[in-house]
Amino acid sequence: MIASTASSMPAGEGAHRRQIQVDPLALLRTTQDPPWDVYLTGTVFLDIIFTGLDSAPVRGTESWARGMGSSPGGVANMATALARLGLRTSLAAAFGDDHYGEYCWDALEQGEGIDLSLSRTVPGWHSPVTVSMAYEGERTMVSHGHEPPPEEPAPDCPPRARAAVASLTPGRSAAWIAQAARKGARIFGDVGWDDTGAWDLAGLPDLRYCEAFLPNAQEAMRYTRTDCPRAAAHALTEHVPVAVVTLGAEGAYAVDGRTGECAEVPAIEVEALDPTGAGDVFVAGFVTGTLAGWSLADRLAFAGLTAALSVQEFGGSLSAPGWAEIGAWWRKVQSVEGQEPVALRRYGFLAELVPEELVRPWPLRRAVPTIGFRRSA
C-alpha cells in the first residue's frame, strides 16, 4: 500500500493557484466529437466548511474552528472534480440571485472553466446553504434551503456529450437520463442512502441506462441482499455492465460484466482532514479513466488516488485535485525509500500522463477561499 503525507491545513497567503491542466482525451478527440465530455444537472449549494475542530460540537457550548472556507457544493463538487481533471464539463443548475448564487456562478464559470450556458439565475430564490464541520476524520452537516424553483434548468434537453453523471433516486425516474443516453452519452450512476428502506434495484428505473454503477459497500450489499461487497459487485453486473463498489479504508472493487474482468485496488494511506466530496471525486476519476480508454485496474487506481488526495484538503469542490496535485504526489511517492515496487507499478500509468515540467513540489498549498474581499479602488 502506498503511503504519502501532506500538510493538514491549507495555507492562507491568498493568491489563487494556477491550474495546471492535462487533457486526458487529447489523443481521442476528433472534429465530430460532442461539444462536451460530461454533462451534469442538479442543485448547487453554497458550502461553508469548518475544520480544525478537536471534537464534535457539544450542546450548550461554543466551539472555535482553526480553519474555515467556502465554495460551491452539491452538484458543483462533481462538476469541479471533472473540470480539474481536464474534461470539458457542462452543468445545468439553478442559482439564486443573492450574493451566494453570484459567488458560486463566478467560482464555477470563471474559476473552474465549467460551461453554465444551460444554467440560470432565479429571481427571488435563496441559494441553498450547507455548513459542514469536519473532525476526527468525519463530518457533520447542517443545510438550509427553500423549495426549488418551479422550473428546472433544461434537464429534459441535455446537450450532446460523451458522458453524463446521474444521481439515481429510489422510486423516481429523470427524463433527461434516457434522453442523454439516446444521444450517445455513457451514463455513470451513483446513488444515496435509500430512506424508504426498500433497497430494491427495480426502484432505480434509470439504472438500465447506466454503463457503470458506483455505490458504496453498504449500499451495494443492501441492494443485492448479499453480505460481501465483492459478491455484491458481481450481483450488480446482472443489472448494469460495470459495477464499482467503494470499500472505504479498504479501497475499491470493480467488475466488468461484459468481459468478466475484475479489479481491486487498496486505499492509499493518507491523513484525512475532511471526507466531504470524496465520493464525487472518486466518480470523476473513474469517468475520466473510462473516457480515456484505460484498463479497469487503472481506472480504479486513478479514482482511488484522486479521492485520497481530496480528503487531505477541506471542502468538496475545494479539495478536488488537479493534475498539479496528481503529478506532485507521483513524484513524491517515487522518492520515498522502501516503497513497495508492486504498489508503484500499480500507478505507473501516471508517468505518461503528467509532463515533467508540470510537476510541482509536494505538498502543494491552496489559498483559503472566501465569499470575497472588498476590492480597493
Side-chain angles (χ1 to χ4, degrees):
M1 182 179 295
I2 286 182
S4 63
T5 59
S7 173
S8 61
M9 292 296 294
E13 283 74 14
H16 287 292
R17 61 191 173 94
R18 181 174 64 88
Q19 287 294 321
I20 295 178
Q21 198 56 279
V22 170
D23 183 358
L25 308 186
L27 299 179
L28 304 176
R29 297 195 186 280
T30 70
T31 56
Q32 286 75 45
D33 287 342
W36 307 112
D37 294 328
V38 188
Y39 168 76
L40 305 98
T41 186
T43 302
V44 173
F45 285 72
L46 171 69
D47 281 357
I48 299 174
I49 307 101
F50 292 101
T51 64
L53 290 165
D54 294 322
S55 61
V58 178
R59 179 179 180 180
T61 66
E62 180 180 15
S63 299
W64 279 82
R66 291 187 292 274
M68 191 201 84
S70 56
S71 66
V75 71
N77 293 340
M78 180 75 71
T80 300
L82 291 163
R84 289 188 181 178
L85 293 177
L87 299 185
R88 300 170 184 175
T89 304
S90 179
L91 170 64
F95 290 78
D97 65 347
D98 48 18
H99 291 304
Y100 296 164
E102 181 182 6
Y103 163 74
C104 289
W105 185 295
D106 181 70
L108 295 173
E109 184 178 58
Q110 301 301 320
E112 305 295 346
I114 295 168
D115 171 66
L116 298 180
S117 61
L118 294 177
S119 294
R120 64 193 177 100
T121 298
V122 180
W125 187 54
H126 189 284
S127 299
V129 177
T130 293
V131 175
S132 176
M133 293 164 282
Y135 52 88
E136 299 174 354
E138 295 294 338
R139 59 179 175 164
T140 297
M141 297 185 293
V142 178
S143 296
H144 168 74
H146 299 285
E147 287 295 320
E151 296 181 27
E152 286 298 325
D156 57 341
C157 298
R160 286 179 58 242
R162 295 175 187 264
V165 180
S167 292
L168 308 183
T169 304
R172 291 176 54 188
S173 179
W176 74 266
I177 298 176
Q179 293 171 12
R182 285 196 292 270
K183 291 182 179 181
R186 303 164 73 173
I187 310 299
F188 296 78
D190 63 8
V191 69
W193 193 257
D194 186 356
D195 292 328
T196 70
W199 298 102
D200 182 6
L201 286 171
L204 299 175
D206 292 327
L207 185 62
R208 66 183 183 273
Y209 301 113
C210 294
E211 173 176 329
F213 184 46
L214 299 96
N216 64 33
Q218 286 299 318
E219 294 159 351
M221 290 188 292
R222 286 176 179 267
Y223 271 119
T224 58
R225 308 297 192 269
T226 59
D227 57 5
C228 169
R230 294 162 184 79
H234 286 273
L236 286 171
T237 58
E238 298 178 8
H239 305 270
V240 66
V242 178
V244 181
V245 178
T246 55
L247 309 174
E250 294 183 33
Y253 184 80
V255 182
D256 188 328
R258 297 165 298 193
T259 65
E261 182 182 8
C262 302
E264 182 167 4
V265 175
I268 297 172
E269 293 181 352
V270 295
E271 181 181 351
L273 173 65
D274 180 8
T276 303
D280 294 322
V281 173
F282 181 94
V283 173
F286 191 82
V287 170
T288 300
T290 301
L291 295 184
W294 301 347
S295 70
L296 185 62
D298 286 353
R299 284 181 269 164
L300 206 60
F302 186 72
L305 168 60
T306 54
L309 293 177
S310 77
V311 302
Q312 296 180 97
E313 300 281 353
F314 69 84
S317 62
L318 288 179
S319 67
W323 287 100
E325 289 89 345
I326 294 167
W329 176 86
W330 176 233
R331 170 182 280 181
K332 176 63 177 178
V333 296
Q334 292 180 87
S335 68
V336 175
E337 291 186 8
Q339 192 66 266
E340 183 183 343
V342 173
L344 279 178
R345 286 198 297 272
R346 182 180 297 118
Y347 297 92
F349 64 93
L350 293 175
E352 298 180 359
L353 288 170
V354 185
E356 185 68 22
E357 64 270 16
L358 296 187
V359 177
R360 287 183 172 186
W362 179 271
L364 296 176
R365 299 281 184 166
R366 290 196 179 101
V368 173
T370 65
I371 294 295
F373 294 105
R374 290 185 181 272
R375 293 193 178 125
S376 56

